[in-house]
Amino acid sequence: MSITLLWAVDVYGRVYSVSTAGRRWVRADDALLELKRVSAGKDRCWGIGCDHHVYLNMIPHETPIRYKEETYENQRWNPVDGFTDTLLPTDRWPWSDVTGMNPQPFDSFRLPSRSWEWEGDWYVDHSCGGEPSQSGGWEYAVDFPANFSPDKKWNSCVRRRRWIRYRRYTAQGTWAKIPSAHPGKPPLPLCDISCGGWEMSDESGRYPHLWAVSQQGQVWFRDGIHPRVPEGTGWEEVEVPKEVSQLALGPRDLLWAALWDGNLLVRAGLSLDSPTGTSWLEVESPQKEVETLHVSVGVSVVWVITKDYKVWFRRGVNSHNPCGSGWIGIVGEMMMLDVGLNDQVWAVGEDRGLYFRIGVTPSEPSGNGWIPVSAEWGSARDTVPLRDGCELSRQPAEAFQGSALNCTNSDSELGPTEPVNSTSNTPVLEAADPSVVPLGGVPVASQETNDAPAAPQTLIPASDSFINSLVSDRDKSSSNQQSSIPLEEEGQFSPAQIALSPNAFGPGAPWSNVDLEGAEAARSTLAGGRLSDGLSLDGAQGVGEEEGPVWAWISGGGCNVDAASQVSWLSATGPLVSSWSLTPVQSSAWSNQEPREEISKKPLERSNSVWVRKGTLRWWRDWKPQRWLDVAAALEQSTKSDGRKDSIFFIYYTQYDEKKYIHIFINEITALVPVARDCHYAFAVYTGYRTRQRSPLVLAAQTEKDMNDWLSLLSDVCCECRGIVTPPSRQALWSTTSKGDIFAHEPSFSLEAAMHTQSCDLMFWRQVPGHMRCVEANSLGLVWGIGWDGTAWVYSGHPGRQANLDDAGHVHQQIDIRSMHVYENQRWNPMTGYTDRGLPTDRPMWSDESGLRECTKGNTQPPSPQWAWVSEWAVDHNVPGGTDKEGWQYAADFPVTFHGHKTLKDFVRRRRWTRKCQITLSGPWRPVLPIPLSDVSLMPCLAHSSMEQVPLWALSDKGDVLCRLGVTPQNPAGSSWLHVGTDQPFKSIAIGGANQVWAIAKDGAVFYRGSVSPQNPAGECWYHIPSPSRQTLRQLSVGRTSVFAVDENGNLWYRQGLTPSYPQGSAWELISNNVTKVSVGPLDQVWMIADAMAGFPAEAPGAVCHRLGVGPMQPKGQRWDYGIGGGWEHISVRANSVEAPRTQQALAAGPPSPRSPLPSRVNGAAASV
């Protein structure tokens, strides 16, 4: 992050700045400078002085600001004197500009202000048209005006040459006064100023704009601002329908103004071609009875303060709708605010302190809390105190926080609701010196020093009314009510903290159905000792520079921070929450604990029979209005007297001022899956019920480490409650997600039983370290995987064996590279040829391969935050169907099969752009080099089988067929590749029982490999198998006696008539549709990945499905049982050789399934074909 500045002005007009790399406020060098307000932008800051003049401070830069002045010397030839400056009366001036219309002698050039100085004297430019000339700089022509050239000809009657002189801007790093447009006219009595517009073009910073408001309510625009002319040239008045009191300009095309009558104006039509816009649109104040005081805008956000100092956020603002759609009230009372870079919000509170809005991201533009700006001040190491008139152990107290969760929505269907109560008391913890933390989160509150008494921490109310009572420069009544606040428990939060909303843990009504034991003790403690630590309500401290500034204005337009930045003076001092308890048994357990050191790095706290981990996460609320909410998370595990353990995962949140919670029993969790949501480090928690409802619980941590900590903890507890203590067994089912995460399931006898079959949505999937596109295995413990870059990997763990210290040597670094694609689409028209303007019914001009979803190079992101770009966007010529030399593919219309050459009937075309991203992690996988693969298959077998070498077939990324030699359980990687000849490249291959090898070519043709045996592992020849009528197959899987295949349209086919004497079969039979991949196991069990779930269009494609009713007499099965879904890419059941007991007594001895799948299930988990 580059070093940038935050600017602020105190009530005496003194200007200060603090660097993102520094820790201390720095006052402007000019001690006599007094400004009313400032407006910062990239590389500059504007200000309005108390003398009504405009001032400019350009940030020093290595490249000087230079401006080139030029004038032309013109001469005409006559027979007596030759070339002379005596011209004809109709000629141009002897010294003029390039057009000759304006006279420009040397003495007409003046420095625009004292901020400029000449670099040298005038000199002749000896280049003509950019090329060196030997003519002394003269250019000749027949007459004025004409085309000049450096060559003198016989008819050259006129000539000219250019004189150049440079002037340099010398006021960088200082405040320079901007001269008025007319020297004899007094400066405009300006009262407000706003800088922005630097992102209106692709060349950042080329066109900075400046707007101003006069005391008469007029609006002015500064002309001529340019990188070489930072001051501009003059003011242009912009007509307004009403008198304006203040305005704000964003980095792009957003301009709002506050009117004296309390409403707001929005400027429409701002662009590079029309920098002053075209028209004004009026927007009402957030509250009709309260007028607007201040407005500030960013790229696509608008913040407003009304005259009762309430803060409001405008939703729905964008370039197409600059007026937005409604107001949302934000907790906190501020005097002014400013939206800076990255839409980050800075404010001056009613206590005259500076605040920063944490948690502001593109997906959460309103943020979720306020923290103080605590830069150091003066010669001491103390930070600038909050202007509350009290001493908090020389440490900044935590500010009040708020988010749209508890906001007032003035545009709701129910009409305006009561505004947020600003007098609600919010606890603030005393904390140690602030530490550097990401701005999107809040660090753990530090513990008291060792010599402090072992007593509950003192809680200090930080409500708005409390602060108001300490401000001496404002005459406003406030309430001194103090509500009861429960005590904060030690070690309550993990190091992964996300800033919390105030009523996410407010001190109001207790949690629903949750005991808050210990609240009475907190009340008595606060009643007796709230003001015992030197806190005085007798008035504010004296205002003076020695005690820290009393702020009046702040501008963050030049301060480049975001939610992930680490800035020392933007460190929160602790989580702002109220104490809460999970259960009565926990409360009693915690009350008996002795004080201990801060345990932020220890995941568990143990107390007799109860341990718990608590922390803060974000929860995706999946009902309207859908949004991320700050929540408290807690994992509780209690051990009973008989040794059994009960574990519960709690999520606490607030809705409409009512505290609620969600709880999930750990033994009901079926999967913990990392997901990609709004660039968050998110993961989904699945249970059987949530799987059936296709609605997992989605949570997000602040950092990747925090997410991995939670996933590891929850996964360990889930495995512990199920008695899983070893790596995946030899019979495990393997699957991968579209993100590349690997999961394994331990099968039971009931999974493939004919009766009491285990429901697919109750399967427990645990994550295996690593990253793969697909994984294949067999029941001898051999597991192979293929990464997105084609690298082959072999599992180096010990399937089914207790992990020990020696297993550390089997963990290797794994690097995977993946290509992301977007398609550029164009349509031909007779006037312009191929253009990006399509028909209304066409696909987006930038889309995915299907054309159903708009995908641009700008909004396409890596699969998850763990990935990083390693290349730039480039045209991809390696596309099926071929391309022309520019990468285009042509077709008659969308969507039709594309080809690589243009014909007369081709009216549309597309080309694919690709960009590579990379992920690096560790796992029990060892690479098998050097040939990259596209598909791999191991022969399925029963668990008690024994063979010297395990047949393994694969396809290279170029479609070559390979057979791996030397593959054994002791040497799973094998020894060498054997190439098997083919007439064309292949795209799918599978080997089944009895060495049956089937494959699909790139054109969809199906082949069977004959004479494959242990003695002849490569076989003899290929036999062509007819494909289904008018269908092109793309993937197949072979079991013990059955073959299933998937075509390009997602149809699943079964091969009939397979016998030992005729292994090629006789015909294809359609089974079902909506299939992307199929896997057939050693028991002929059939599993597949469904493309989509009927009735759940919002769920991501890819759901695990199990074919029920498969048996020797019914190899095709009867119906599908739908399981976990939403982003699954691949599944392999070829290692599951666990056969169900054949007798009814043995079957009854096993644990029956909680329910059997029926065709009438509501979620469609079983549906007859």
Side-chain angles (χ1 to χ4, degrees):
M1 182 181 69
S2 60
I3 299 176
T4 53
L5 297 178
L6 174 68
W7 296 86
V9 181
D10 67 5
V11 294
Y12 298 104
R14 296 185 289 240
V15 184
Y16 301 87
S17 63
V18 60
S19 167
T20 52
R23 300 176 59 90
R24 188 182 303 275
W25 286 104
V26 178
R27 184 179 171 185
D29 295 335
D30 189 353
L32 300 179
L33 177 69
E34 293 182 358
L35 299 182
K36 294 189 291 185
R37 55 187 60 180
V38 294
S39 179
K42 285 189 174 181
D43 68 23
R44 70 193 65 200
C45 184
W46 298 81
I48 299 179
C50 295
D51 56 359
H52 304 298
H53 275 284
V54 178
Y55 290 81
L56 173 63
N57 189 322
M58 293 294 298
I59 307 300
H61 195 271
E62 296 178 357
T63 304
I65 300 176
R66 304 170 70 233
Y67 186 82
K68 180 174 65 176
E69 300 281 11
E70 62 179 26
T71 186
Y72 284 83
E73 179 184 2
N74 306 303
Q75 292 185 355
R76 175 175 286 277
W77 182 87
N78 65 65
V80 178
D81 303 319
F83 282 101
T84 177
D85 56 2
T86 303
L87 305 179
L88 300 177
T90 57
D91 281 343
R92 58 183 59 186
W93 302 90
W95 293 87
S96 70
D97 60 1
V98 66
T99 65
M101 304 298 294
N102 302 308
Q104 289 188 169
F106 286 159
D107 56 6
S108 66
F109 289 88
R110 297 286 187 272
L111 293 175
S113 68
R114 297 180 180 180
S115 303
W116 295 85
E117 68 177 11
W118 294 111
E119 283 194 344
D121 204 351
W122 291 95
Y123 66 91
V124 175
D125 180 12
H126 290 277
S127 64
C128 296
E131 299 293 335
S133 173
Q134 303 297 327
S135 60
W138 291 106
E139 295 178 305
Y140 298 88
V142 176
D143 200 355
F144 299 119
N147 294 326
F148 287 85
S149 69
D151 300 326
K152 181 180 179 182
K153 301 178 181 179
W154 65 271
N155 59 349
S156 298
C157 297
V158 295
R159 68 178 182 179
R160 71 176 185 183
R161 63 179 174 181
R162 183 171 66 166
W163 291 75
I164 295 175
R165 191 180 190 184
Y166 281 93
R167 53 183 168 93
R168 182 177 61 187
Y169 188 78
T170 59
Q172 294 190 69
T174 62
W175 287 96
K177 181 185 297 185
I178 303 301
S180 59
H182 304 286
K185 182 179 179 181
L188 294 172
L190 300 178
C191 65
D192 189 47
I193 198 168
S194 182
C195 174
W198 53 79
E199 294 182 7
M200 200 174 294
S201 68
D202 293 336
E203 299 181 26
S204 179
R206 181 177 180 182
Y207 297 100
H209 296 164
L210 182 68
W211 292 66
V213 178
S214 68
Q215 292 182 354
Q216 291 78 25
Q218 301 168 319
V219 174
W220 299 83
F221 174 79
R222 185 71 176 173
D223 284 324
I225 297 179
H226 190 273
R228 294 190 298 273
V229 188
E231 301 169 317
T233 56
W235 292 100
E236 174 187 350
E237 184 177 359
V238 180
E239 295 293 334
V240 288
K242 297 181 180 180
E243 294 182 353
V244 175
S245 61
Q246 182 258 332
L247 57 71
L249 176 65
R252 295 183 184 172
D253 55 355
L254 203 59
L255 173 66
W256 281 55
L259 300 175
W260 283 109
D261 63 7
N263 287 340
L264 298 116
L265 287 180
V266 182
R267 190 63 172 173
L270 288 177
S271 65
L272 286 178
D273 298 329
S274 179
T276 58
T278 57
S279 61
W280 292 99
L281 305 173
E282 188 168 357
V283 177
E284 291 186 354
S285 176
Q287 293 177 292
K288 293 183 179 180
E289 65 278 6
V290 183
E291 299 175 352
T292 299
L293 174 66
H294 185 89
V295 63
S296 185
V297 302
V299 175
S300 59
V301 298
V302 176
W303 291 73
V304 163
I305 297 177
T306 51
K307 289 190 176 180
D308 57 357
Y309 305 109
K310 302 297 183 184
V311 182
W312 300 85
F313 174 83
R314 187 71 172 177
R315 64 185 182 187
V317 177
N318 53 56
S319 298
H320 304 288
N321 182 24
C323 295
S325 57
W327 294 105
I328 297 175
I330 303 296
V331 169
E333 295 187 1
M334 300 292 171
M335 298 190 65
M336 68 81 56
L337 54 76
D338 183 71
V339 181
L341 298 178
N342 307 314
D343 286 342
Q344 303 300 309
V345 183
W346 312 82
V348 177
E350 270 204 323
D351 59 348
R352 297 289 185 175
L354 301 183
Y355 294 92
F356 174 74
R357 186 75 176 171
I358 57 175
V360 174
T361 62
S363 61
E364 194 74 31
S366 62
N368 49 40
W370 299 100
I371 61 173
V373 177
S374 55
E376 295 176 359
W377 169 253
S379 59
R381 303 297 295 175
D382 298 335
T383 57
V384 175
L386 297 178
R387 308 305 304 181
D388 55 3
C390 63
E391 288 293 333
L392 301 182
S393 301
R394 296 176 59 166
Q395 300 158 6
E398 177 68 12
F400 44 88
Q401 303 182 7
S403 70
L405 169 65
N406 59 338
C407 296
T408 302
N409 188 345
S410 63
D411 289 357
S412 64
E413 297 179 1
L414 300 178
T417 59
E418 292 296 327
V420 179
N421 185 7
S422 64
T423 62
S424 61
N425 293 328
T426 307
V428 178
L429 297 181
E430 288 188 349
D433 292 338
S435 58
V436 179
V437 297
L439 302 185
V442 180
V444 178
S446 303
Q447 301 298 315
E448 297 179 357
T449 57
N450 295 332
D451 56 352
Q457 291 180 335
T458 302
L459 293 152
I460 300 174
S463 67
D464 300 327
S465 60
F466 180 78
I467 295 177
N468 293 341
S469 65
L470 303 180
V471 179
S472 60
D473 58 330
R474 293 201 55 82
D475 182 14
K476 182 178 178 180
S477 61
S478 61
S479 172
N480 292 327
Q481 297 178 357
Q482 300 174 357
S483 62
S484 300
I485 305 172
L487 290 176
E488 181 75 5
E489 295 174 343
E490 294 185 4
Q492 179 170 343
F493 292 92
S494 68
Q497 301 284 343
I498 296 181
L500 303 175
S501 302
N503 55 354
F505 305 97
W511 298 99
S512 302
N513 303 324
V514 177
D515 176 36
L516 282 178
E517 185 174 342
E520 292 299 329
R523 294 189 182 98
S524 62
T525 301
L526 291 174
R530 182 187 299 273
L531 305 177
S532 60
D533 292 338
L535 182 61
S536 174
L537 301 179
D538 295 335
Q541 296 176 350
V543 176
E545 185 175 2
E546 295 79 6
E547 300 172 354
V550 181
W551 300 110
W553 199 265
I554 189 172
S555 180
C559 188
N560 188 14
V561 300
D562 54 30
S565 301
Q566 293 185 350
V567 182
S568 60
W569 38 268
L570 285 180
S571 298
T573 60
L576 186 60
V577 300
S578 59
S579 177
W580 46 270
S581 174
L582 296 176
T583 60
V585 65
Q586 270 195 293
S587 297
S588 61
W590 279 98
S591 62
N592 294 329
Q593 287 186 356
E594 295 295 330
R596 64 190 67 195
E597 294 183 355
E598 208 270 312
I599 59 168
S600 62
K601 296 184 179 181
K602 296 192 297 182
L604 306 179
E605 292 186 25
R606 300 188 178 273
S607 173
N608 298 328
S609 62
V610 177
W611 62 257
V612 68
R613 170 175 176 169
K614 305 176 184 179
T616 54
L617 295 171
R618 306 199 80 188
W619 166 49
W620 176 253
R621 186 176 63 187
D622 53 3
W623 65 79
K624 293 184 179 180
Q626 296 177 336
R627 58 168 298 161
W628 289 101
L629 299 181
D630 300 318
V631 297
L635 175 62
E636 173 199 354
Q637 186 179 85
S638 60
T639 304
K640 299 185 178 180
S641 57
D642 58 359
R644 292 186 297 109
K645 296 181 179 180
D646 290 334
S647 301
I648 307 177
F649 185 50
F650 288 90
I651 297 296
Y652 289 83
Y653 68 100
T654 302
Q655 183 180 11
Y656 303 119
D657 296 331
E658 181 182 359
K659 299 174 182 178
K660 300 183 178 182
Y661 67 85
I662 301 171
H663 72 278
I664 298 177
F665 292 98
I666 292 297
N667 58 6
E668 294 181 352
I669 294 179
T670 57
L672 300 162
V673 185
V675 295
R677 286 289 184 91
D678 303 329
C679 297
H680 284 77
Y681 294 97
F683 61 95
V685 181
Y686 287 85
T687 63
Y689 172 78
R690 290 184 173 273
T691 299
R692 293 190 294 274
Q693 298 298 320
R694 326 310 295 179
S695 177
L697 181 71
V698 180
L699 303 170
Q702 181 187 347
T703 64
E704 180 182 2
K705 179 181 181 300
D706 299 334
M707 181 188 71
N708 292 334
D709 288 345
W710 274 108
L711 284 175
S712 177
L713 176 64
L714 292 173
S715 180
D716 290 344
V717 175
C718 290
C719 292
E720 182 182 5
C721 75
R722 287 172 171 80
I724 301 176
V725 295
T726 62
S729 67
R730 296 185 174 187
Q731 288 76 35
L733 280 70
W734 293 79
S735 64
T736 61
T737 67
S738 56
K739 288 173 69 273
D741 298 310
I742 308 169
F743 290 85
H745 168 74
E746 296 300 333
S748 62
F749 290 116
S750 61
L751 187 60
E752 301 294 344
M755 300 176 61
H756 304 291
T757 307
Q758 179 185 359
S759 178
C760 192
D761 51 41
L762 297 179
M763 298 170 59
F764 173 68
W765 294 93
R766 56 169 165 160
Q767 189 171 359
V768 178
H771 190 274
M772 298 292 171
R773 179 175 58 85
C774 66
V775 175
E776 289 292 338
N778 75 352
S779 56
L780 297 180
L782 301 176
V783 184
W784 278 57
I786 300 177
W788 287 95
D789 58 356
T791 303
W793 301 83
V794 61
Y795 186 66
S796 59
H798 300 285
R801 199 189 74 180
Q802 179 70 39
N804 54 52
L805 296 177
D806 296 335
D807 292 340
H810 298 275
V811 176
H812 309 277
Q813 186 184 52
Q814 184 180 6
I815 298 176
D816 200 0
I817 298 177
R818 183 175 181 177
S819 296
M820 306 298 293
H821 303 297
V822 297
Y823 283 81
E824 180 184 4
N825 306 303
Q826 292 187 353
R827 177 174 286 276
W828 183 86
N829 68 63
M831 301 298 296
T832 59
Y834 284 102
T835 177
D836 57 1
R837 295 183 178 272
L839 299 177
T841 57
D842 279 345
R843 60 181 60 186
M845 293 298 100
W846 289 89
S847 69
D848 60 357
E849 184 176 8
S850 67
L852 300 177
R853 184 168 60 94
E854 183 178 10
C855 296
T856 66
K857 292 190 288 186
N859 64 17
T860 300
Q861 301 296 328
S864 68
Q866 290 89 344
W867 292 80
W869 293 118
V870 293
S871 71
E872 296 298 328
W873 289 104
V875 176
D876 188 2
H877 294 271
N878 187 21
V879 182
T883 67
D884 62 9
K885 61 180 181 180
E886 295 181 353
W888 293 105
Q889 292 183 303
Y890 300 86
D893 202 352
F894 299 120
V896 181
T897 302
F898 286 83
H899 46 267
H901 58 279
K902 185 182 182 304
T903 65
L904 293 178
K905 297 181 179 180
D906 292 331
F907 295 97
V908 297
R909 67 178 183 178
R910 72 175 186 182
R911 62 179 172 183
R912 188 169 76 178
W913 292 78
T914 183
R915 190 179 186 184
K916 293 183 179 181
C917 53
Q918 177 178 293
I919 188 173
T920 303
L921 38 74
S922 300
W925 302 90
R926 185 157 48 90
V928 180
L929 303 174
I931 301 177
L933 303 181
S934 62
D935 196 11
V936 66
S937 180
L938 294 99
M939 189 177 78
C941 57
L942 300 179
H944 53 75
S945 301
S946 62
M947 54 183 70
E948 294 182 1
Q949 293 189 10
V950 179
L952 185 150
W953 288 66
L955 298 178
S956 71
D957 61 345
K958 297 180 180 179
D960 299 327
V961 179
L962 306 171
C963 178
R964 189 68 172 176
L965 303 179
V967 178
T968 64
Q970 295 75 28
N971 182 25
S975 57
S976 61
W977 289 107
L978 176 63
H979 183 270
V980 180
T982 60
D983 294 334
Q984 57 180 315
F986 283 20
K987 61 182 177 181
S988 179
I989 196 167
I991 180 172
N995 291 283
Q996 305 174 74
V997 178
W998 290 65
I1000 301 177
K1002 287 289 181 69
D1003 61 359
V1006 184
F1007 293 90
Y1008 172 81
R1009 187 68 175 178
S1011 303
V1012 178
S1013 64
Q1015 295 75 26
N1016 186 17
E1020 295 292 343
C1021 60
W1022 293 103
Y1023 296 92
H1024 180 263
I1025 309 296
S1027 300
S1029 176
R1030 296 188 298 274
Q1031 300 294 334
T1032 302
L1033 299 182
R1034 67 180 181 188
Q1035 187 257 335
L1036 54 76
S1037 184
V1038 184
R1040 182 166 55 182
T1041 61
S1042 61
V1043 176
F1044 285 80
V1046 181
D1047 64 23
E1048 296 289 350
N1049 297 318
N1051 299 313
L1052 180 65
W1053 300 85
Y1054 167 73
R1055 187 65 178 175
Q1056 296 178 336
L1058 268 69
T1059 63
S1061 60
Y1062 192 68
Q1064 296 92 338
S1066 57
W1068 292 100
E1069 179 181 354
L1070 179 63
I1071 302 300
S1072 66
N1073 55 12
N1074 193 36
V1075 181
T1076 59
K1077 286 190 178 179
V1078 65
S1079 179
V1080 184
L1083 306 178
D1084 284 335
Q1085 65 268 44
V1086 181
W1087 293 68
M1088 65 103 167
I1089 301 294
D1091 185 33
M1093 278 289 295
F1096 299 94
E1099 184 181 49
V1104 175
C1105 300
H1106 180 202
R1107 189 70 174 173
L1108 301 179
V1110 176
M1113 304 303 296
Q1114 186 67 28
K1116 298 175 293 182
Q1118 299 175 349
R1119 57 190 180 273
W1120 290 108
D1121 182 19
Y1122 284 80
I1124 191 170
W1128 247 249
E1129 177 79 14
H1130 179 86
I1131 188 170
S1132 175
V1133 298
R1134 299 170 63 79
N1136 180 20
S1137 60
V1138 178
E1139 295 188 77
R1142 298 182 181 276
T1143 63
Q1144 186 65 27
Q1145 292 79 7
L1147 181 62
S1153 173
R1155 59 178 176 82
S1156 59
L1158 297 175
S1160 60
R1161 283 165 55 179
V1162 176
N1163 70 320
S1168 300
V1169 178

